[in-house]
Amino acid sequence: MVISGIGQSAIGRQLDRSGFQLTIDAILAAVADAGLSVDDLDGLAMFPGGGAANLPGYANGNLYEVQDALRITPRWRQGFVEGMVLPFFGPALAVASGQARHAVIWRTVKEGSAARKAGGRPAYGATKPAAEGPLAWLLPVGMLSPVCQVAPFAARYMHEFGVTREQLAWIPVTQRAHAALNPDAVYTKPLTVEEYLSSRMISSPICLYDCDVPCDGATAIIVSAVETAPDLRSPVRIEAVAGQVEGRPSWDQWEDMGRVGYAAAQAMWARTSLGPADVDVAQLYDGFTIECVWWLEALGFCGPGEAGAFVEGGTRIGLSGELPLNTWGGQLSGGRLHAGFGHVAEAVRQLRGEAGPRQVAGAEVAALGNVGGFEAGAALLTRW
Amino acid sequence: MDGSVNATVGIPPGVTEETAAFWAAAAEGRLVVERCAACGTESFPPRGLCRACRGREMLAAEVTGPGRVYSCTVNYQRWLPDLEVPYAIVLVEFDDYPGVRVTGRLRGCPPEAATIGMTVDVGFEPGPGGFAIPSFVAVPSGRGL
């Protein structure tokens, strides 16, 4: 399977257009990017499906409305929440089994506008009257946000390995420098380690600059059958993808909070002859800085507990370093397009050589890590 | 909200057949997990099913503590109107109940004094929706487990 198209709407802190219009913008852009027409699409998927809406602006639109508006006759369609792994995983399975030839998946967020309207980033689950499932143990005691839920992972990791905030600061600081080269990024003004260290704490040890930026925007990704490659403008190969998870599936019950993503990473590496040393550029999920740390270690770019030293100074993860990291700014500066959609779009741009001033020279292999914990996914994309 | 004095602001739990016993015991100030009638293993959260042997007969087992903080965070952000901040959240494990980890608030010390490895006693406080929520009590240093 290949990724044949990526498309994005305008992206901004607040956009004055509906999520549905942003969705259509992204899908049409992805279709044009692939060299296809809308009529070629026969698979449809979105995240989240089923109206999963734990945060205002988190869920947008409706698969059937998109299907109807674009007059698509899908042979396969699906909404994802649990186990999406990476955005292209489900569509790739549909294409691999012959159920679809060109399947599009999209993710639209209006969290920037929603946060503005609410006067700040709202509580996770505030859209529901009572906390259900695993959240029933978290929200009532005051773990009211993913920040609070992930913070104990960061605390435990830093405790076990002696990693410091001074070291981890280099992830958001370096990514901000990358964002300055991305005209679509939400935040582009330079960020310093000192500004990071003096920023307000949200839920210790996670500070403001460890949190991604709620924004408005849509991303669409098309997966196509490999035999359609001659019809495609610039396909990118899906070399390997896996989503195995080794821990208990809730934020407070994960057994070993110092180690996250290892099962997915190992399952992914087992599906390719390539290894960490072959990777030219990494787009690793960064809802929070610590999630990037998980993937740096789980994917084997450094050893357990070594990410602090690895990122310190920003040289290794800079654009001309050994592992350029989140070259679009990541969700920390580029915007919370969420669930790996922004990361996949950038990986495809880099492998095509279409990343403009932030292009990593000779990028042929891109690593992806998505989310972490019980929704982990790891993948490798390669140049066609 | 039920109008309880000084109840913690938040979102109440949805109570299910499996979790009703936990919240009922919490209202009495007792921390109750499930113990398998067949193999004796404790499971939490309650699911009416043993995580060790998948047995379906589960008995109530009271955890009396003390416990040890596996990890923690101090929340400074006012996620809801009237939410009092800062406050510490602790993830607590118990030597005699392997596999059981319970998340709750921390009191008995300043929030910033929460540390990994500290000893805490079991406790509860008035929470959202009239529910009693886990609220562990810091044990003065010197009194170990």
Side-chain angles (χ1 to χ4, degrees):
Chain A
M1 285 74 60
V2 299
I3 295 177
S4 54
I6 55 168
Q8 291 181 308
S9 70
I11 296 164
R13 198 79 163 97
Q14 283 96 27
L15 299 177
D16 193 23
R17 297 183 67 221
S18 73
F20 187 83
Q21 296 308 318
L22 297 178
T23 301
I24 299 296
D25 286 350
I27 293 171
L28 295 180
V31 167
D33 180 70
L36 296 169
S37 79
V38 172
D39 292 332
D40 291 318
L41 295 177
D42 55 7
L44 291 182
M46 67 182 287
F47 178 99
N54 286 310
L55 286 166
Y58 179 89
N60 264 275
N62 177 294
L63 187 144
Y64 301 116
E65 288 183 336
V66 171
Q67 175 188 334
D68 190 48
L70 291 174
R71 286 181 293 105
I72 292 167
T73 305
R75 293 195 285 163
W76 172 84
R77 62 187 185 273
Q78 181 143 20
F80 284 94
V81 179
E82 296 89 350
M84 185 179 65
V85 177
L86 273 149
F88 49 81
F89 184 58
L93 294 178
V95 168
S97 68
Q99 293 293 343
R101 279 166 72 79
H102 302 287
V104 64
I105 182 166
W106 66 86
R107 171 87 178 99
T108 302
V109 287
K110 288 277 286 181
E111 291 183 321
S113 289
R116 167 70 60 88
K117 198 172 162 191
R121 204 164 177 178
Y124 191 78
T127 53
K128 294 177 180 171
E132 312 267 335
L135 291 176
W137 307 103
L138 303 180
L139 303 184
V141 301
M143 287 186 116
L144 288 161
S145 161
V147 191
C148 314
Q149 294 160 18
V150 172
F153 284 74
R156 185 75 201 186
Y157 170 83
M158 294 166 76
H159 171 82
E160 279 190 29
F161 296 112
V163 175
T164 65
R165 294 186 63 227
E166 286 77 3
Q167 293 177 305
L168 298 184
W170 286 96
I171 292 175
V173 164
T174 307
Q175 290 187 193
R176 180 63 64 85
H178 297 166
L181 302 173
N182 174 12
D184 292 326
V186 174
Y187 288 138
T188 55
K189 183 174 155 276
L191 176 69
T192 66
V193 171
E194 291 69 30
E195 286 170 315
Y196 171 92
L197 293 172
S198 62
S199 71
R200 67 191 170 90
M201 200 57 81
I202 306 295
S203 195
S204 65
I206 296 181
C207 71
L208 180 67
Y209 292 119
D210 287 319
C211 302
D212 58 6
V213 186
C215 69
D216 293 358
T219 302
I221 297 160
I222 301 175
V223 176
S224 297
V226 69
E227 62 267 23
T228 69
D231 304 329
L232 303 172
R233 185 184 69 81
S234 184
V236 161
R237 191 185 305 275
I238 301 172
E239 168 71 15
V241 55
Q244 188 173 328
V245 164
E246 71 272 37
R248 293 190 72 180
S250 73
W251 288 116
D252 65 330
Q253 297 294 336
W254 186 267
E255 292 93 333
D256 186 352
M257 292 190 171
R259 293 164 187 79
V260 179
Y262 283 77
Q266 284 164 19
M268 189 279 285
W269 289 125
R271 300 178 68 87
T272 175
S273 59
L274 298 173
D278 297 310
V279 172
D280 300 307
V281 62
Q283 312 296 339
L284 306 180
Y285 189 76
D286 59 336
F288 303 106
T289 302
I290 188 67
E291 297 182 293
C292 233
V293 169
W294 298 340
W295 287 117
L296 285 171
E297 298 186 359
L299 284 164
F301 298 120
C302 60
E306 294 177 0
F310 186 83
V311 304
E312 195 166 10
T315 308
R316 285 194 188 86
I317 57 174
L319 287 181
S320 44
E322 63 191 72
L323 189 75
L325 174 66
N326 289 336
T327 48
W328 57 295
Q331 293 188 175
L332 295 176
S333 287
R336 181 179 148 79
L337 296 169
H338 196 229
F341 281 77
H343 299 82
V344 172
E346 177 71 1
V348 170
R349 283 189 290 258
Q350 288 285 350
L351 295 175
R352 287 170 166 175
E354 296 176 354
R358 60 183 192 278
Q359 178 66 46
V360 172
E364 295 185 355
V365 179
L368 289 160
N370 198 18
V371 194
F374 54 97
E375 286 296 354
L380 220 54
L381 303 181
T382 56
R383 184 183 282 181
W384 181 249
Chain B
M1 298 300 292
D2 69 342
S4 299
V5 178
N6 296 326
T8 302
V9 169
I11 297 169
V15 178
T16 66
E17 178 182 319
E18 290 78 13
T19 65
F22 174 90
W23 294 110
E28 301 167 356
R30 297 186 301 119
L31 177 57
V32 166
V33 300
E34 289 182 321
R35 177 179 289 141
C36 178
C39 77
T41 303
E42 284 91 13
S43 290
F44 184 82
R47 303 243 165 77
L49 183 77
C50 176
R51 294 190 68 249
C53 75
R54 302 196 177 100
R56 303 294 294 275
E57 190 186 345
M58 301 299 280
L59 311 170
E62 182 171 348
V63 178
T64 53
R68 196 194 315 269
V69 172
Y70 173 76
S71 195
C72 56
T73 183
V74 181
N75 176 65
Y76 296 87
Q77 183 85 2
R78 189 169 283 116
W79 303 105
L80 295 167
D82 304 323
L83 181 69
E84 281 186 36
V85 293
Y87 55 83
I89 301 257
V90 288
L91 283 58
V92 178
E93 298 183 337
F94 305 89
D95 285 354
D96 294 337
Y97 304 83
V100 171
R101 181 191 290 167
V102 179
T103 300
R105 297 248 182 158
L106 176 71
R107 59 205 158 96
C109 67
E112 287 80 4
T115 55
I116 289 172
M118 75 187 290
T119 304
V120 295
D121 281 327
V122 169
F124 291 85
E125 68 178 68
F131 288 89
I133 58 169
S135 176
F136 295 93
V137 184
V139 170
S141 58
R143 203 200 102 188
L145 278 176

